[in-house]
Amino acid sequence: MDPIQKQLLEAVSGLHEIPVGAFNIRANGQGIARHSSENIEIIPKDDGTGIDIKIKPGTKNESVHIPVVLSQAGLTEAVYNDFYIGKDADVTIIAGCGIHNSGTADSKHDGIHRFFLEENARVRYVEKHYGSGDGNGKRIMNPETVVEIGKNGYMEMDTAQIKGVDSTKRITTATLEEGATLTVMERLMTHGQQDAVSEFEVSLNGSESGAHIVSRSVAKDQSSQTFISKVHGNARCSGHTECDAIIIGDAKISAIPEISANNSDASLIHEAAIGKIAGEQLTKLMTLGLTEEEAEEQIVNGFLK
């Protein structure tokens, strides 16, 4: 890997070198490194469009890294990855995509990830998106996540897009069976002319299933964001969706929460709040010696963390 690719890899996955355990590293549309472990098998799809990740039942305290980096301007790709998590497994999956574009043509990565969790399986899924480069070509990322959680399964999603992505449409759909739980924390920042759409749709089909979806975002300059969340309570269940956003400059933010109860024992809540940074917060930090710009940055960083 060249220095730019290594920098992207570290930004999206925290890797400084080839990791221990199972991993699949993709660069400029090609798989460049792959390794399966005793309990986690990574199998390329026959048509070359992605990989299947099969995690054996009972696997504990293991992780798999599947980062993607693009450093070639004008490259467009779509990758399809399927995860099969066996009964009673408990694993961490670290994904992410970094695009460096110093050219005039757009670079685009579409990643479709499907997760199938068997009974009592637990997954922590971490996904980061990052863009760099001084070219006029756009950095475009469109992640789509499909989740099916079996009886008493649990999935935690930690997703972040903090810098450099010009356009993104982030779609997550999930179905939950009896006793299943989905927890999502999304962190998003846009600036300049960037545009971002986040859409969640969760169907709580099983008794005692639950979902907790939180999006924290900051929109600066002339950027725009749209947050859409739909939670369907189809059984005795609990669902909560929340959007907290800070708007700075001439940015635009729309929050469109929707909850539908199709069972008398469904308990659903939605919350949405959009506003600017309070003047007293800035003043307090500025009395400590920070400039207004530095104070604003401190508040934004704390909010997103």
Side-chain angles (χ1 to χ4, degrees), residues 18-195:
I18 297 298
V20 175
F23 60 84
N24 186 87
I25 300 175
R26 186 178 178 92
N28 290 339
Q30 302 292 326
I32 62 169
R34 179 183 303 119
H35 182 261
S36 296
S37 67
E38 182 178 350
N39 295 314
I40 301 176
E41 185 178 13
I42 301 176
I43 306 169
K45 292 185 181 295
D46 292 337
D47 59 6
T49 58
I51 53 177
D52 291 335
I53 298 93
K54 297 183 179 181
I55 299 172
K56 291 182 180 180
T59 300
K60 305 289 185 183
N61 301 318
E62 292 196 35
S63 63
V64 55
H65 291 76
I66 55 163
V68 174
V69 297
L70 279 71
S71 58
Q72 177 183 328
L75 184 63
T76 296
E77 68 169 356
V79 178
Y80 301 82
N81 297 332
D82 292 331
F83 301 80
Y84 302 91
I85 298 93
K87 182 179 179 180
D88 297 319
D90 189 344
V91 297
T92 298
I93 298 169
I94 301 171
C97 177
I99 296 179
H100 179 89
N101 192 341
S102 293
T104 57
D106 295 348
S107 296
K108 179 181 177 183
H109 173 79
D110 292 348
I112 298 89
H113 290 176
R114 299 192 302 170
F115 295 85
F116 305 94
L117 280 68
E118 295 185 10
E119 184 176 351
N120 294 321
R122 297 178 63 88
V123 171
R124 181 171 185 261
Y125 178 61
V126 181
E127 181 181 75
K128 295 181 180 180
H129 290 162
Y130 171 81
S132 63
D134 56 3
N136 294 324
K138 290 184 177 181
R139 294 159 289 273
I140 303 169
M141 302 186 196
N142 296 315
E144 181 175 350
T145 307
V146 180
V147 179
E148 296 183 12
I149 308 179
K151 183 178 179 181
N152 296 325
Y154 173 85
M155 183 161 177
E156 173 187 340
M157 294 178 59
D158 183 353
T159 66
Q161 178 181 298
I162 305 302
K163 182 180 180 181
V165 180
D166 296 298
S167 176
T168 185
K169 187 169 184 180
R170 308 155 62 87
I171 299 175
T172 301
T173 57
T175 57
L176 280 64
E177 300 305 322
E178 178 184 349
T181 302
L182 174 67
T183 300
V184 178
M185 170 56 77
E186 176 186 66
R187 290 166 292 154
L188 177 66
M189 184 162 69
T190 56
H191 54 87
Q193 302 290 333
Q194 295 173 354
D195 175 73

Side-chain angles (χ1 to χ4, degrees), residues 200-272:
F200 297 89
E201 183 162 10
V202 180
S203 296
L204 300 169
N205 296 334
S207 178
E208 307 302 334
S209 59
H212 181 61
I213 299 168
V214 176
S215 175
R216 287 196 169 188
S217 68
V218 176
K220 297 181 177 182
D221 305 322
Q222 291 80 42
S223 66
S224 64
Q225 297 180 11
T226 302
F227 172 80
I228 303 168
S229 63
K230 302 176 182 179
V231 178
H232 309 289
N234 300 322
R236 178 192 293 273
C237 62
S238 61
H240 172 248
T241 176
E242 174 184 340
C243 172
D244 291 329
I246 292 176
I247 190 166
I248 300 172
D250 297 321
K252 297 179 180 179
I253 301 176
S254 296
I256 309 169
E258 176 185 318
I259 52 177
S260 58
N262 303 310
N263 184 289
S264 60
D265 290 320
S267 176
L268 308 175
I269 299 172
H270 73 68
E271 302 176 77

